[in-house]
């Protein structure tokens, strides 16, 4: 019996490359059946604010696998990217991108004889991709960067499991915890905790800027790297560049219930309708999907045929040896079909190698899944009040803040753009019109959240309060950062 999946052809070159890929699947007798869903630009234009019809959403939630072409996000209509929304709404928390040297795709590394074979696992839901941003004053915008313990654990565990399945011996965590001590710190701490469960995988961590340098100078040293969302986004495009560009970058968005497989590139409006687009990235994504679903023999046969075809110098117009005429999209697919059963010169892959596991399909949920860590002692110890203070200098603002103190509190510090400017600071620190004013409870006092809110409310009589953040301790450890210079 065939397994049914949802297919969205996408916009621009989407239908052309999807047709090519499904033609290859059919030629290899892949036992999949396709239910085409209505998603993409024309559905935004028709008034569907999410870019998909209700029926499309239902079908995808029912079938659990979406194979999609690239989709255009209409500009300037206040709509969010359908690609990002789909990943977030369906909690496809792990974005896996495999990068490897492909014979026939020339890069500086292939010319130097340095083979690349690495996987980036990018957290797909959290971080700045929540898009929670506010203008606090006319001059100051802030964005919330959300990193959670369950969200980090989910993707990190996936990365270790994937490393084990692929027979990798090591997994690195890329981060910037030296600067973002609590957000990246939480991601790194979770990585180090989970690493203890995988003693067979050598775990290490690397600061993301150092990682970028080493990826460019010694990419062969890495097997798999797990990162938070934005850093993972940037690093994975860097890796696409190492192996020949976005035209060769597949991507799997893996969740426990729904998974989405798509190429990394966009709709290529400049070449749409010409029949010349390169279907390789979508085909590689389809191969990831076949493995994920357990069709490992099909995945291996098609991958070998693709690699063999590339080795023979057959190419679309966007890459390859210009002395060999470029194939059309369908011509390229036909060449792969003609080569089904062939293996590339390195012996290729077998149905057994790189086996992914068929997991999580058809888990129908009745309630939203909610994960909470309990049993940690927590204490509220103060509040940061973010204020717009006009032309006030730090000492003047401190005098106003002191008026709001009760017996329970101290005024601890004032910072501007994260740098302490009161009680000590430098006259050379430049100021913008948004300060953070920190009130902490005095030792031995017990305070309530209402008292903290009162301080902010009272303070608003003197200055505009933009926002408040409470200062918490969890298990005795402070859950907020100190100001630079504090
Ligand atoms: P793009 O990836 O569509 O195009 C960049 C350049 O690469 C163009 O010159 C294009 O012709 C070329 N190119 C891309 N894919 C190709 C292929 N398969 N074969 C041959 N050449 C290819 O990026 P751009 O122009 O920034 O974005 C265009 C649209 O795509 C936008 O509306 C954007 O929102 C959307 N987009 C959608 C994505 C998705 O659905 N996951 C991802 C990225 C962009």
């Amino acid at each position: 019996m065939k397994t049914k999946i949802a297919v969205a052809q996408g916009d621009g070159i989407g239908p052309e490359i999807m047709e090519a890929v499904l033609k290859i699947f059919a030629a290899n007798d892949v036992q999949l059946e396709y239910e085409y869903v209505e998603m993409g630009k024309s559905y935004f234009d028709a008034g569907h604010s999410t870019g998909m019809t209700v029926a499309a959403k239902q079908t995808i939630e029912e079938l659990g696998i979406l194979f999609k072409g690239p989709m255009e996000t209409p500009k300037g209509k206040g709509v969010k990217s359908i690609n990002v929304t789909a990943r977030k709404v369906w909690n496809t928390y792990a974005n896996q991108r495999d990068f490897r040297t492909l014979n026939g795709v020339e890069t500086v590394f292939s010319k130097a004889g340095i083979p690349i074979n690495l996987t980036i696992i990018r957290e797909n839901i959290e971080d700045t991709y929540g898009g929670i941003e506010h203008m606090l004053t006319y001059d100051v915008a802030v964005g919330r960067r959300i990193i959670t313990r369950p969200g980090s654990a989910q993707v990190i565990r996936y990365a270790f499991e994937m490393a084990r399945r692929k027979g990798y011996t090591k997994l690195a965590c890329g981060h910037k915890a030296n600067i973002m001590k609590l957000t990246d710190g939480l991601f790194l701490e979770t990585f180090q905790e989970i690493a203890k469960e995988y003693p067979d995988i050598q775990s290490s961590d690397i600061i993301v800027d150092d990682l970028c340098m080493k990826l460019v100078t010694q990419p062969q040293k890495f097997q798999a790297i797990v990162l938070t969302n934005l850093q993972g986004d940037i690093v994975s495009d860097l890796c696409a560049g190492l192996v020949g560009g976005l035209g060769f970058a597949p991507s799997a968005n893996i969740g426990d219930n729904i998974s989405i497989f798509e190429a990394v590139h966009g709709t290529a409006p400049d070449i749409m309708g010409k029949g010349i687009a390169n279907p390789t990235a979508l085909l590689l994504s389809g191969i990831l999907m076949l493995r994920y679903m357990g069709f490992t023999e099909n995945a291996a046969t098609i991958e070998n045929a693709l690699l063999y075809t590339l080795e023979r110098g057959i190419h679309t117009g966007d890459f390859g040896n210009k002395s060999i005429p470029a194939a059309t999209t369908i011509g390229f697919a036909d060449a792969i079909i003609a080569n089904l059963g062939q293996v590339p010169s390195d012996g290729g892959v077998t149905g057994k190698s790189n086996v992914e596991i068929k997991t999580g399909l058809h888990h129908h949920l009745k309630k939203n899944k909610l994960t909470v860590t309990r049993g940690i002692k927590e204490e509220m110890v103060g509040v940061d009040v973010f204020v717009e203070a006009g032309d006030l200098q730090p000492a003047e603002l401190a005098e106003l803040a002191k008026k709001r103190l009760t017996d329970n509190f101290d005024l601890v510090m004032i910072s501007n753009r994260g740098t302490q400017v009161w009680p000590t600071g430098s006259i050379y620190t430049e100021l913008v019109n948004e300060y953070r004013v920190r009130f902490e409870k005095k030792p031995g006092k017990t305070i309530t959240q209402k008292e903290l809110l009162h301080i902010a409310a009272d303070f608003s009589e003197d200055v505009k309060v933009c926002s408040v953040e409470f200062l918490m301790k969890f298990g005795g450890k402070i859950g907020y950062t100190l100001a630079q210079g504090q």
Side-chain angles (χ1 to χ4, degrees):
M1 208 182 79
K2 289 189 174 180
T3 307
K4 216 181 211 189
I5 63 166
V7 172
Q9 293 185 299
D11 304 314
I13 60 169
E16 300 163 48
I17 54 176
M18 186 61 81
E19 182 195 350
V21 170
L22 297 187
K23 190 174 181 194
I24 297 167
F25 281 11
N28 193 230
D29 202 21
V30 172
Q31 292 296 299
L32 284 180
E33 197 178 326
Y34 312 114
E35 186 146 341
Y36 290 90
V37 293
E38 297 175 320
M39 264 178 108
K41 181 178 182 298
S42 51
Y43 301 97
F44 277 119
D45 292 346
H48 298 280
S49 62
T50 55
M52 70 181 100
T53 60
V54 174
K57 179 169 178 280
Q58 272 168 0
T59 302
I60 294 160
E61 292 185 355
E62 180 66 26
L63 299 177
I65 296 278
L66 170 63
F67 189 33
K68 72 177 273 295
M71 287 174 193
E72 182 183 333
T73 303
K75 291 196 184 85
K77 292 191 183 168
V79 293
K80 297 218 172 188
S81 155
I82 188 170
N83 306 304
V84 177
T85 303
R87 291 172 207 155
K88 286 171 66 76
V89 166
W90 291 316
N91 199 45
T92 63
Y93 52 81
N95 180 263
Q96 177 179 338
R97 297 189 189 174
D98 292 348
F99 303 98
R100 58 181 293 197
T101 305
L102 299 168
N103 289 339
V105 183
E106 211 166 69
T107 66
V108 281
F109 295 101
S110 68
K111 283 190 204 155
I114 299 170
I116 297 173
N117 189 358
L118 62 89
T119 301
I120 302 292
I121 303 288
R122 160 189 169 194
E123 198 286 319
N124 222 9
I125 310 289
E126 306 194 334
D127 201 340
T128 45
Y129 286 67
I132 304 172
E133 303 192 326
H134 296 91
M135 296 292 295
L136 293 193
T137 75
Y138 184 68
D139 289 344
V140 179
V142 297
R144 284 198 164 220
R145 179 162 192 254
I146 299 172
I147 304 288
T148 72
R149 204 177 295 277
S152 302
Q154 226 172 11
V155 67
I156 290 165
R157 186 159 276 115
Y158 175 83
F160 274 105
E161 288 291 328
M162 180 236 40
R164 207 177 245 176
R165 284 200 301 277
K166 284 185 172 242
Y168 288 170
T169 53
K170 45 190 186 177
L171 174 68
C173 173
H175 64 85
K176 193 76 183 170
N178 52 330
I179 302 297
M180 292 175 279
K181 293 185 192 303
L182 295 184
T183 48
D184 269 23
L186 178 56
F187 192 75
L188 177 59
E189 181 187 316
T190 310
F191 176 81
Q192 287 164 339
E193 273 303 305
I194 291 177
K196 293 180 195 154
E197 298 169 29
Y198 297 85
D200 49 320
I201 310 273
Q202 189 192 325
S203 63
S204 61
D205 71 279
I206 179 162
I207 293 178
V208 67
D209 35 351
D210 186 25
L211 171 66
C212 288
M213 196 264 292
K214 294 215 166 77
L215 278 170
V216 171
T217 53
Q218 306 166 303
Q220 72 279 18
K221 292 257 163 85
F222 295 92
Q223 294 181 351
I225 307 158
V226 61
L227 301 113
T228 52
N229 202 342
L230 177 60
Q231 292 168 29
D233 190 6
I234 297 165
V235 168
S236 51
D237 271 22
L238 184 155
C239 291
L242 298 178
V243 297
L246 290 184
F248 301 94
S251 141
N253 301 283
I254 306 289
D256 288 339
N257 309 289
I258 296 170
S259 296
I260 304 170
F261 297 83
E262 62 182 340
V264 173
H265 62 71
T267 58
D270 49 333
I271 56 166
M272 79 174 271
K274 296 185 179 161
I276 57 171
N278 180 359
T280 307
L282 188 65
L283 180 60
L284 288 168
S285 312
I287 291 169
L288 275 176
M289 177 178 76
L290 294 179
R291 286 218 171 86
Y292 179 75
M293 298 182 71
F295 296 106
T296 53
E297 291 295 339
N298 291 116
T301 306
I302 296 171
E303 184 169 330
N304 286 337
L306 166 68
L307 297 178
Y308 181 87
T309 305
L310 291 171
E311 260 180 19
R312 304 242 114 27
I314 298 168
H315 64 93
T316 46
D318 54 310
F319 75 103
N321 183 345
K322 298 290 175 222
S323 66
I324 301 174
T328 61
T329 307
I330 285 298
F332 188 71
D334 287 339
I336 294 170
I337 289 168
N339 289 332
L340 286 168
Q342 302 285 1
V343 288
S345 56
D346 66 359
V349 290
T350 67
K352 301 248 176 317
S353 64
N354 282 349
V355 174
E356 303 279 323
I357 299 174
K358 182 174 172 177
T359 53
L361 303 180
H362 309 304
H363 284 187
H364 293 294
L365 301 181
K366 296 241 175 337
K367 285 202 262 184
N368 289 74
K369 192 177 154 206
L370 173 65
T371 310
V372 183
T373 306
R374 298 188 199 279
I376 306 292
K377 183 172 176 292
E378 58 177 69
E379 189 189 2
M380 195 170 275
V381 295
V383 65
D384 277 347
V385 184
F386 294 81
V387 300
E388 179 173 358
D391 296 329
L392 291 183
Q393 286 287 313
E396 295 167 321
L397 180 62
E399 287 312 307
L400 290 179
K402 280 182 194 163
K403 277 186 4 198
R404 304 300 169 188
L405 290 175
T406 66
D407 274 354
N408 285 345
F409 295 97
D410 280 325
L411 176 66
V412 177
M413 66 97 183
I414 298 176
S415 72
N416 196 293
R417 287 191 282 178
T419 307
Q420 179 171 297
V421 290
W422 185 92
T424 57
S426 166
I427 208 73
Y428 294 104
T429 303
E430 287 197 16
L431 307 173
V432 296
N433 70 349
E434 192 239 2
Y435 286 96
R436 173 177 51 161
V437 183
R438 175 165 290 177
F439 299 91
E440 273 181 30
K441 81 178 179 76
K442 287 182 176 162
K445 298 282 184 185
T446 313
I447 53 160
T448 63
Q449 188 173 33
K450 199 167 168 185
E451 281 177 270
L452 294 171
L453 285 167
H454 262 302
I455 287 190
D458 291 348
F459 204 12
S460 72
E461 290 174 4
D462 296 320
V463 286
K464 187 185 103 191
V465 172
C466 303
S467 68
V468 293
E469 294 285 351
F470 298 101
L471 306 180
M472 302 291 300
K473 280 188 176 175
F474 297 96
K477 262 174 62 181
I478 62 168
Y480 49 93
T481 51
L482 302 181
Q484 280 142 359
Q486 193 182 352

